[in-house]
Amino acid sequence: MADTWTIVAAASGVLGNVTAIVVSLASIRRADAALVQARDIAAQNLAAQDNFDGAAACIAWRDQIIALHDRGLTTDQIRRIMLLEPGGEGYEPGMGRIDDILRDIPRIPPSP
């Protein structure tokens, strides 16, 4: 009878360990899925922030161009000024062509 109880105790211990291993593996899979989801959300947030920053930069670019236009500068003069900014040579293709921005905008002189 002692051998039977020893076998039952050993089997119970083995089943307990197997159960613990299965639960651990399931927890690891859930944690891995949560990390993947968190990484995807972080990537989406970063992309959204980049889009927001890009839109803000475009608005600032256009505001500067319109302000210089209102001061009476031509598109070529504005372009020369904007090219003086650090990285300015790459702004016009990405932010909007100066000629296109000013095409239908009337010149408003600055207030005294």
Side-chain angles (χ1 to χ4, degrees), residues 33-50:
L35 286 173
V36 168
Q37 184 180 19
R39 185 188 67 219
D40 292 345
I41 290 170
Q44 290 171 354
N45 286 342
L46 183 60
Q49 185 62 43
D50 285 345

Side-chain angles (χ1 to χ4, degrees), residues 4-106:
T4 304
W5 287 112
T6 303
I7 292 171
V8 168
S12 176
V14 169
L15 285 175
N17 287 338
V18 168
T19 302
I21 290 170
V22 168
V23 168
S24 296
L25 289 174
S27 296
I28 288 171
R29 285 189 178 155
R30 283 188 194 147
D32 186 49
L35 286 173
V36 168
Q37 184 180 19
R39 185 188 67 219
D40 292 345
I41 290 170
Q44 290 171 354
N45 286 342
L46 183 60
Q49 185 62 43
D50 285 345
N51 290 341
F52 180 80
D53 291 344
C58 279
I59 291 169
W61 166 261
R62 290 166 188 255
D63 284 346
Q64 288 175 318
I65 289 171
I66 292 169
L68 292 170
H69 179 258
D70 287 345
R71 295 186 81 184
L73 277 70
T74 67
T75 56
D76 289 333
Q77 291 170 323
I78 294 170
R79 187 170 289 108
R80 276 196 299 276
I81 290 171
M82 299 307 274
L83 288 176
L84 295 175
E85 292 186 21
E89 62 275 350
Y91 286 168
E92 190 170 6
M95 305 281 193
R97 289 192 40 214
I98 294 170
D99 298 314
D100 293 339
I101 293 169
L102 299 176
R103 178 174 293 134
D104 296 322
I105 297 179

